[in-house]
Amino acid sequence: MNNNYSHFQHLYFVFTGIPGLEQKYYRMTFPLGAVYVIALFGNSIIISTITSESSLHIPMYYFLCMLALADMGLALCTLPSMLDIFWFNYKSIAFDACLVQMYFIHTFTAIESGVLVAMAFDQAVAIWTPLRYSTILTNGVVCKTGLVILSRAVCVVFPVPFVIKRLPFYHSNILSHSFCLHQDVMHLACASTRVNRLYGLIAVIFTKGSDSLSILLSYVFILQTVMAIASREGCLKALNTCVSHICAVLIFYVPLIEVSVIHRFGKHLSPLTHALMANAYLVVSPVLNHIVYTVKTKEIQRKIFQMFVQTKITAEGWSLPV
């Protein structure tokens, strides 16, 4: 049997959705649509604003643009299956399509984690040596950093679908969430998953584990630098520049840690808890990150307002005085 696993693979998996609320899915039509519109439209506004305004072409905003791209990718990965479940009550996904979705979800989360590290480094350099900021973080360094983040995510996650595809699945094909995650699919296998668990652990340590440690060390360094500032006003001003990034880190890592803990130790918890936490893990970050940065960054607020005014003027046929 071990030599012919392909005969023991389901043709499709079945998503769970939100247990206990199946009869109320129609009520989620508008909220779910609104959530994805906010995620896609908000992040696209951030990207278009940064790319079109030369005054925002600095490392901090380049990294923010990368974060918005990762959030858009994450939203687009989960959008099809979420809409199928809650709008059309269609819960099936083909085996290979599940592997593809799994790959892109884990790839974009790894990219987002890497971008958060780059943003932490950007904050540290800006506070530690502001006069040398432009010489340390040049456009070339930013481009190379982005390529490293992308390459690491693609390469680390690439084996995941293959180590899943080698496993036999001939018992349950019902997933715990509204999308395909490695740990969720792995638990349905009818053979030893030691290789999967080992590689999954290595991948997590190499990406999110090392990234979270790097962010922590960056903020230890930032705090040491800030505490050396003599004036209280200067200290608060320096810390205020980090608020948006700290919020983005918490938005990303808190749901991630909770989902990981629930998968490892929360077998006694209700399926509803598993489903809600997984949805929060992949939906909250794309929805909230761009809001946090828009609220906290005056430059982006000003540029978005200017774009809105110009669009309205163009649409209504007005002309600006020369």
Side-chain angles (χ1 to χ4, degrees), residues 12-25 28 81-93 98 101 172-181 184-185 187-188 263 269-279:
Y12 60 90
F13 286 108
V14 178
F15 295 123
T16 296
I18 300 180
L21 300 180
E22 290 83 359
Q23 302 303 318
K24 300 180 181 179
Y25 282 170
M28 300 181 185
S81 58
M82 296 282 278
L83 293 183
D84 281 345
I85 294 170
F86 297 107
W87 285 21
F88 308 110
N89 200 28
Y90 184 77
K91 300 181 180 180
S92 299
I93 184 171
C98 181
Q101 185 187 50
S172 175
N173 66 338
I174 300 177
L175 298 171
S176 303
H177 308 310
S178 305
F179 28 75
C180 295
L181 297 177
D184 193 17
V185 176
H187 289 157
L188 299 179
H263 267 287
L269 297 176
S270 67
L272 177 62
T273 302
H274 285 264
L276 291 177
M277 288 309 306
N279 289 336

Side-chain angles (χ1 to χ4, degrees), residues 260-291:
S260 301
V261 170
I262 284 176
H263 267 287
R264 181 67 180 85
F265 303 106
K267 309 243 183 244
H268 61 286
L269 297 176
S270 67
L272 177 62
T273 302
H274 285 264
L276 291 177
M277 288 309 306
N279 289 336
Y281 165 48
L282 294 182
V283 173
V284 169
S285 181
V287 171
L288 292 185
N289 276 342
H290 65 88
I291 295 176

